[in-house]
PDB file of all heavy atoms in Angstrom:
ATOM      1  N   PHE A 235       5.253  -5.283 -58.433  1.00 84.00           N
ATOM      2  CA  PHE A 235       6.089  -4.106 -58.679  1.00 84.00           C
ATOM      3  C   PHE A 235       5.865  -3.105 -57.545  1.00 84.00           C
ATOM      4  O   PHE A 235       4.779  -2.555 -57.387  1.00 84.00           O
ATOM      5  CB  PHE A 235       5.712  -3.478 -60.022  1.00 84.00           C
ATOM      6  CG  PHE A 235       6.626  -2.372 -60.464  1.00 84.00           C
ATOM      7  CD1 PHE A 235       7.926  -2.642 -60.877  1.00 84.00           C
ATOM      8  CD2 PHE A 235       6.188  -1.064 -60.473  1.00 84.00           C
ATOM      9  CE1 PHE A 235       8.765  -1.626 -61.290  1.00 84.00           C
ATOM     10  CE2 PHE A 235       7.019  -0.034 -60.886  1.00 84.00           C
ATOM     11  CZ  PHE A 235       8.314  -0.319 -61.296  1.00 84.00           C
ATOM     12  N   GLN A 285       7.829  -9.612 -66.028  1.00 92.00           N
ATOM     13  CA  GLN A 285       7.120  -8.496 -66.645  1.00 92.00           C
ATOM     14  C   GLN A 285       6.423  -7.667 -65.577  1.00 92.00           C
ATOM     15  O   GLN A 285       5.886  -8.204 -64.603  1.00 92.00           O
ATOM     16  CB  GLN A 285       6.065  -9.003 -67.624  1.00 92.00           C
ATOM     17  CG  GLN A 285       6.599  -9.532 -68.934  1.00 92.00           C
ATOM     18  CD  GLN A 285       5.520  -9.547 -70.007  1.00 92.00           C
ATOM     19  OE1 GLN A 285       4.972  -8.499 -70.356  1.00 92.00           O
ATOM     20  NE2 GLN A 285       5.225 -10.725 -70.529  1.00 92.00           N
ATOM     21  N   THR A 286       6.430  -6.361 -65.757  1.00 91.00           N
ATOM     22  CA  THR A 286       5.670  -5.486 -64.861  1.00 91.00           C
ATOM     23  C   THR A 286       4.307  -5.220 -65.484  1.00 91.00           C
ATOM     24  O   THR A 286       4.153  -5.248 -66.709  1.00 91.00           O
ATOM     25  CB  THR A 286       6.393  -4.149 -64.635  1.00 91.00           C
ATOM     26  OG1 THR A 286       6.642  -3.512 -65.897  1.00 91.00           O
ATOM     27  CG2 THR A 286       7.716  -4.377 -63.921  1.00 91.00           C
ATOM     28  N   THR A 287       3.305  -4.996 -64.635  1.00 90.00           N
ATOM     29  CA  THR A 287       1.953  -4.786 -65.137  1.00 90.00           C
ATOM     30  C   THR A 287       1.918  -3.624 -66.124  1.00 90.00           C
ATOM     31  O   THR A 287       2.471  -2.550 -65.856  1.00 90.00           O
ATOM     32  CB  THR A 287       0.968  -4.537 -63.986  1.00 90.00           C
ATOM     33  OG1 THR A 287      -0.322  -4.259 -64.514  1.00 90.00           O
ATOM     34  CG2 THR A 287       1.406  -3.365 -63.118  1.00 90.00           C
ATOM     35  N   PRO A 288       1.315  -3.815 -67.283  1.00 90.00           N
ATOM     36  CA  PRO A 288       1.340  -2.768 -68.313  1.00 90.00           C
ATOM     37  C   PRO A 288       0.571  -1.511 -67.925  1.00 90.00           C
ATOM     38  O   PRO A 288       0.797  -0.448 -68.504  1.00 90.00           O
ATOM     39  CB  PRO A 288       0.708  -3.459 -69.520  1.00 90.00           C
ATOM     40  CG  PRO A 288      -0.142  -4.548 -68.946  1.00 90.00           C
ATOM     41  CD  PRO A 288       0.591  -5.021 -67.736  1.00 90.00           C
ATOM     42  N   THR A 289      -0.322  -1.612 -66.968  1.00 82.00           N
ATOM     43  CA  THR A 289      -1.146  -0.453 -66.621  1.00 82.00           C
ATOM     44  C   THR A 289      -0.419   0.564 -65.746  1.00 82.00           C
ATOM     45  O   THR A 289      -1.015   1.553 -65.347  1.00 82.00           O
ATOM     46  CB  THR A 289      -2.441  -0.912 -65.919  1.00 82.00           C
ATOM     47  OG1 THR A 289      -2.117  -1.828 -64.874  1.00 82.00           O
ATOM     48  CG2 THR A 289      -3.371  -1.607 -66.892  1.00 82.00           C
ATOM     49  N   ILE A 290       0.869   0.327 -65.429  1.00 82.00           N
ATOM     50  CA  ILE A 290       1.601   1.323 -64.647  1.00 82.00           C
ATOM     51  C   ILE A 290       2.129   2.443 -65.547  1.00 82.00           C
ATOM     52  O   ILE A 290       2.641   3.438 -65.061  1.00 82.00           O
ATOM     53  CB  ILE A 290       2.776   0.695 -63.863  1.00 82.00           C
ATOM     54  CG1 ILE A 290       3.830   0.129 -64.836  1.00 82.00           C
ATOM     55  CG2 ILE A 290       2.287  -0.352 -62.894  1.00 82.00           C
ATOM     56  CD1 ILE A 290       5.089  -0.357 -64.149  1.00 82.00           C
ATOM     57  N   ARG A 291       1.998   2.267 -66.843  1.00 83.00           N
ATOM     58  CA  ARG A 291       2.471   3.306 -67.770  1.00 83.00           C
ATOM     59  C   ARG A 291       1.412   3.564 -68.840  1.00 83.00           C
ATOM     60  O   ARG A 291       0.568   2.691 -69.107  1.00 83.00           O
ATOM     61  CB  ARG A 291       3.796   2.891 -68.415  1.00 83.00           C
ATOM     62  CG  ARG A 291       3.706   1.632 -69.234  1.00 83.00           C
ATOM     63  CD  ARG A 291       5.063   1.253 -69.824  1.00 83.00           C
ATOM     64  NE  ARG A 291       6.000   0.952 -68.778  1.00 83.00           N
ATOM     65  CZ  ARG A 291       6.134  -0.280 -68.238  1.00 83.00           C
ATOM     66  NH1 ARG A 291       5.367  -1.268 -68.658  1.00 83.00           N
ATOM     67  NH2 ARG A 291       7.006  -0.508 -67.301  1.00 83.00           N
ATOM     68  N   GLN A 292       1.462   4.731 -69.412  1.00 86.00           N
ATOM     69  CA  GLN A 292       0.504   5.095 -70.454  1.00 86.00           C
ATOM     70  C   GLN A 292       0.953   4.567 -71.811  1.00 86.00           C
ATOM     71  O   GLN A 292       2.150   4.388 -72.069  1.00 86.00           O
ATOM     72  CB  GLN A 292       0.335   6.608 -70.512  1.00 86.00           C
ATOM     73  CG  GLN A 292      -0.342   7.208 -69.285  1.00 86.00           C
ATOM     74  CD  GLN A 292      -0.548   8.700 -69.419  1.00 86.00           C
ATOM     75  OE1 GLN A 292       0.126   9.368 -70.184  1.00 86.00           O
ATOM     76  NE2 GLN A 292      -1.513   9.220 -68.674  1.00 86.00           N
ATOM     77  N   ASN A 293      -0.015   4.319 -72.679  1.00 89.00           N
ATOM     78  CA  ASN A 293       0.249   3.858 -74.040  1.00 89.00           C
ATOM     79  C   ASN A 293       1.080   2.575 -74.056  1.00 89.00           C
ATOM     80  O   ASN A 293       1.979   2.411 -74.876  1.00 89.00           O
ATOM     81  CB  ASN A 293       0.951   4.958 -74.851  1.00 89.00           C
ATOM     82  CG  ASN A 293       0.784   4.743 -76.346  1.00 89.00           C
ATOM     83  OD1 ASN A 293      -0.219   4.211 -76.799  1.00 89.00           O
ATOM     84  ND2 ASN A 293       1.793   5.157 -77.107  1.00 89.00           N
ATOM     85  N   SER A 294       0.757   1.678 -73.141  1.00 93.00           N
ATOM     86  CA  SER A 294       1.457   0.397 -73.079  1.00 93.00           C
ATOM     87  C   SER A 294       0.940  -0.527 -74.175  1.00 93.00           C
ATOM     88  O   SER A 294      -0.018  -0.203 -74.886  1.00 93.00           O
ATOM     89  CB  SER A 294       1.226  -0.250 -71.717  1.00 93.00           C
ATOM     90  OG  SER A 294      -0.144  -0.613 -71.575  1.00 93.00           O
ATOM     91  N   TRP A 295       1.545  -1.700 -74.292  1.00 95.00           N
ATOM     92  CA  TRP A 295       1.066  -2.666 -75.294  1.00 95.00           C
ATOM     93  C   TRP A 295      -0.385  -3.064 -75.009  1.00 95.00           C
ATOM     94  O   TRP A 295      -1.145  -3.333 -75.951  1.00 95.00           O
ATOM     95  CB  TRP A 295       1.961  -3.899 -75.322  1.00 95.00           C
ATOM     96  CG  TRP A 295       1.997  -4.710 -74.042  1.00 95.00           C
ATOM     97  CD1 TRP A 295       2.923  -4.629 -73.054  1.00 95.00           C
ATOM     98  CD2 TRP A 295       1.046  -5.715 -73.634  1.00 95.00           C
ATOM     99  NE1 TRP A 295       2.624  -5.521 -72.040  1.00 95.00           N
ATOM    100  CE2 TRP A 295       1.493  -6.206 -72.373  1.00 95.00           C
ATOM    101  CE3 TRP A 295      -0.106  -6.253 -74.191  1.00 95.00           C
ATOM    102  CZ2 TRP A 295       0.799  -7.202 -71.676  1.00 95.00           C
ATOM    103  CZ3 TRP A 295      -0.799  -7.246 -73.506  1.00 95.00           C
ATOM    104  CH2 TRP A 295      -0.350  -7.715 -72.269  1.00 95.00           C
ATOM    105  N   PHE A 296      -0.787  -3.054 -73.747  1.00 96.00           N
ATOM    106  CA  PHE A 296      -2.152  -3.408 -73.394  1.00 96.00           C
ATOM    107  C   PHE A 296      -3.114  -2.310 -73.843  1.00 96.00           C
ATOM    108  O   PHE A 296      -4.197  -2.595 -74.385  1.00 96.00           O
ATOM    109  CB  PHE A 296      -2.253  -3.630 -71.892  1.00 96.00           C
ATOM    110  CG  PHE A 296      -3.609  -4.086 -71.427  1.00 96.00           C
ATOM    111  CD1 PHE A 296      -4.088  -5.337 -71.764  1.00 96.00           C
ATOM    112  CD2 PHE A 296      -4.409  -3.257 -70.649  1.00 96.00           C
ATOM    113  CE1 PHE A 296      -5.341  -5.769 -71.344  1.00 96.00           C
ATOM    114  CE2 PHE A 296      -5.669  -3.676 -70.221  1.00 96.00           C
ATOM    115  CZ  PHE A 296      -6.130  -4.940 -70.564  1.00 96.00           C
ATOM    116  N   ASP A 297      -2.729  -1.051 -73.634  1.00 95.00           N
ATOM    117  CA  ASP A 297      -3.560   0.071 -74.095  1.00 95.00           C
ATOM    118  C   ASP A 297      -3.735   0.033 -75.614  1.00 95.00           C
ATOM    119  O   ASP A 297      -4.836   0.261 -76.137  1.00 95.00           O
ATOM    120  CB  ASP A 297      -2.925   1.406 -73.691  1.00 95.00           C
ATOM    121  CG  ASP A 297      -2.893   1.601 -72.187  1.00 95.00           C
ATOM    122  OD1 ASP A 297      -3.821   1.124 -71.510  1.00 95.00           O
ATOM    123  OD2 ASP A 297      -1.941   2.229 -71.686  1.00 95.00           O
TER     124      ASP A 297
END
Side-chain angles (χ1 to χ4, degrees):
F235 188 71
Q285 285 200 61
T286 56
T287 177
T289 49
I290 64 173
R291 61 181 64 88
Q292 292 183 338
N293 201 31
S294 67
W295 63 264
F296 184 68
D297 294 327

